[in-house]
Amino acid sequence: MKNVRVLDCTLRDGGRIFDCAFPDSEIKEIVSRLTKVKIDIVEIGFLRDWHNLEYNGDSTFFTHTNQIAPFLDKSKNNTMFTAFIDYGMFDFCSLKPCDGTSIDAIRFGFTKKNYDEEKEDVINCAKIIMSKGYKLFMQGVNSLSYTDRELLEVVDLVNDIHPYSFGIVDTYGAMYMDDVDRIYNLIDHNMLPDICINFHSHNNYQLSFAFAQEVIKLSSMGARQVIIDGTLGGMGKVAGNLNTELIVDYLVRKKQYDYELDDIFDMLDDYIYKYSLKYNWGYSASAMMAGIYKSHPNNVIYLTGKFRLDSKDIGKLLSMIEPEKRQRYDYENIEKLYIEYLSEKVDDSDNLEKLRNVINGREIVVLVPGNTLNTHRDIVDSYITPLYNFFEKRITHRIL
């Protein structure tokens, strides 16, 4: 029996770079082909009904499990299918029982803030998932946010609930190898041996593949089963994730597992390549900054997309955001900090005074790029033509 299994979350975490807007036909094909190449666990997407979200197809944001069923190839009994629920974004009262026609498992993500403030409700939600017949994966988002003592408390809770799996999650791509060793060993030595450890990392420091090998090595020292997350081509927001093809190749070569690696390469060409031409992910200095400051990737996306800042400036702006707020995204706050940062970086007071002296009460017209220049062309021309003629005559007179 394998002690290492691969979970592919391309359709969930990978798809977040374009709001999970995969075409229905592609979702079905990717699921079918991941099953055929013998990937152990396939994550289909999110279960989310937050703010009355509607499901209209061509998306892996689902609101009910019966919407997922048509995409699954249940003929392959060795493949497990799962979906991800973030705490607070799904009404568990609407969760239908597991009847074998849709997903087999649910990954349930909760933050430290959720755990600290809503502990009893988090426990209740986890128990509802299990009572409905699903395998429960408990994902404590951002494992680095817990102290060792706090993590041991969570492990005690996990032992009481007894889920299928508990996750080590490098949410912001901020872990180093010693963090992986410390957290894995702490959990492994204190959690019931029949509960899997699920490892999910982001590639901000280009360490995801090394982390996966380390987790596999640590698991080989005991009887613990581990599950490693990956996405095809490492697809994902900003730095992306562990590449499914890398961990599959490693397991084929080093563990003699029977995944169909060549068919995975075909999937990269057939599906992922076109997305790589339109969306960027992978290592960058700005992605590294997100790891350093443990920042939500949306903050980096916003700063690079709107302001086109240098990497150093992105780092300084991220450092100006309060640590807890960095783990979310507040664009109004970022714009405010951006203005404050520019005021400190550039002192325009002398130039502004010179402009005041030159203008000296004169009327100023400022023309900036925009469609109004086209729609109000007559008004603009009627204003500037007399001025143009006046200055042209003066220049001509001087030449003569």
Side-chain angles (χ1 to χ4, degrees):
M1 182 179 178
K2 294 178 178 178
N3 80 305
V4 181
R5 281 172 287 168
V6 174
L7 185 154
D8 184 273
C9 52
T10 303
L11 292 169
R12 199 269 306 177
D13 210 17
R16 292 178 68 216
I17 60 176
F18 53 89
D19 292 328
C20 294
F22 292 97
D24 283 347
S25 59
E26 194 166 284
I27 298 170
K28 190 172 183 65
E29 289 172 13
I30 290 174
V31 171
S32 177
R33 291 178 68 172
L34 286 171
T35 302
K36 288 177 181 176
V37 300
K38 303 177 184 177
I39 294 299
D40 306 283
I41 306 168
V42 177
E43 189 161 69
I44 311 301
F46 289 94
L47 270 176
R48 184 174 291 187
D49 56 11
W50 186 53
H51 284 184
N52 298 315
L53 179 73
E54 292 186 5
Y55 173 75
N56 297 307
D58 295 326
S59 171
T60 54
F61 279 115
F62 302 99
T63 58
H64 294 287
T65 56
N66 58 357
Q67 297 160 353
I68 301 174
F71 298 105
L72 306 186
D73 182 358
K74 302 292 284 188
S75 64
K76 305 293 183 182
N77 295 327
N78 292 331
T79 301
M80 184 189 302
F81 298 105
T82 184
F84 198 101
I85 297 177
D86 289 295
Y87 175 76
M89 294 190 178
F90 185 78
D91 179 7
F92 283 91
C93 294
S94 68
L95 182 63
K96 295 177 182 283
C98 180
D99 62 3
T101 63
S102 186
I103 54 175
D104 311 291
I106 289 175
R107 295 213 291 174
F108 175 47
F110 57 93
T111 65
K112 184 175 183 297
K113 181 179 174 65
N114 299 148
Y115 178 79
D116 290 341
E117 298 180 0
E118 306 287 345
K119 181 178 176 181
E120 291 306 314
D121 194 42
V122 169
I123 295 171
N124 184 54
C125 292
K127 289 182 176 179
I128 289 174
I129 292 170
M130 295 180 68
S131 71
K132 298 284 186 174
Y134 297 95
K135 290 182 173 65
L136 170 64
F137 290 61
M138 293 185 70
Q139 301 293 99
V141 175
N142 189 18
S143 299
L144 279 177
S145 64
Y146 295 88
T147 65
D148 286 2
R149 184 179 296 277
E150 290 169 338
L151 193 56
L152 285 172
E153 290 177 8
V154 175
V155 169
D156 287 340
L157 172 65
V158 170
N159 285 337
D160 289 340
I161 296 174
H162 210 133
Y164 183 80
S165 170
F166 177 63
I168 298 173
V169 187
D170 186 15
T171 303
Y172 304 111
M175 285 186 182
Y176 289 105
M177 194 66 74
D178 61 325
D179 297 313
V180 174
D181 289 340
R182 174 178 60 83
I183 294 172
Y184 183 93
N185 284 319
L186 193 68
I187 294 171
D188 184 45
H189 292 158
N190 292 279
M191 193 167 69
L192 294 174
D194 61 338
I195 301 174
C196 303
I197 290 180
N198 182 190
F199 185 76
H200 181 97
S201 65
H202 292 116
N203 215 9
N204 298 61
Y205 290 152
Q206 291 288 278
L207 288 172
S208 285
F209 186 36
F211 289 163
Q213 293 177 63
E214 181 72 1
V215 169
I216 292 169
K217 182 179 77 173
L218 292 169
S219 72
S220 67
M221 299 175 184
R224 179 79 63 188
Q225 293 249 324
V226 297
I227 299 164
I228 309 290
D229 286 11
T231 60
L232 294 169
M235 184 180 181
K237 275 189 174 182
V238 187
N241 299 272
L242 168 66
N243 297 56
T244 295
E245 63 274 13
L246 286 178
I247 190 60
V248 163
D249 174 69
Y250 177 83
L251 291 170
V252 167
R253 294 176 184 273
K254 296 295 185 179
K255 296 277 190 178
Q256 289 73 53
Y257 285 10
D258 61 347
Y259 303 109
E260 303 292 344
L261 183 60
D262 287 344
D263 291 341
I264 292 178
F265 288 138
D266 287 340
M267 293 183 71
L268 296 177
D269 293 334
D270 294 343
Y271 306 111
I272 307 305
Y273 176 69
K274 66 180 180 183
Y275 291 121
S276 71
L277 297 177
K278 189 174 181 180
Y279 304 98
N280 294 319
W281 68 82
Y283 176 77
S284 66
S286 54
M288 178 183 173
M289 293 295 178
I292 291 172
Y293 293 105
K294 300 179 179 63
S295 170
H296 194 288
N298 282 5
N299 292 322
V300 175
I301 292 170
Y302 187 73
L303 287 169
T304 55
K306 180 163 185 178
F307 301 117
R308 300 178 184 176
L309 296 168
D310 294 335
S311 299
K312 177 180 69 175
D313 293 327
I314 289 173
K316 288 184 177 179
L317 275 164
L318 291 176
S319 72
M320 292 169 68
I321 303 173
E322 295 176 25
E324 186 175 333
K325 288 185 177 180
R326 283 181 215 144
Q327 297 176 16
R328 303 188 300 275
Y329 48 96
D330 181 343
Y331 298 144
E332 288 185 6
N333 183 52
I334 290 176
E335 291 205 21
K336 177 185 174 185
L337 294 174
Y338 173 73
I339 293 170
E340 290 177 7
Y341 177 62
L342 284 186
S343 67
E344 294 177 2
K345 185 178 179 183
V346 180
D347 184 1
D348 285 331
S349 55
D350 290 342
N351 290 327
L352 288 172
E353 187 59 33
K354 289 177 183 177
L355 278 173
R356 288 190 190 97
N357 293 332
V358 170
I359 294 169
N360 194 24
R362 293 183 177 92
E363 187 175 357
I364 301 296
V365 177
V366 180
L367 303 180
V368 296
N371 193 46
T372 308
L373 292 179
N374 295 322
T375 59
H376 293 69
R377 178 65 181 267
D378 292 342
I379 297 174
V380 174
D381 286 347
S382 68
Y383 187 89
I384 66 173
T385 298
L387 295 173
Y388 174 80
N389 292 336
F390 172 74
F391 285 110
E392 184 179 39
K393 287 178 181 178
R394 292 191 64 178
I395 292 170
T396 303
H397 177 73
R398 288 186 178 181
I399 292 174
L400 294 176

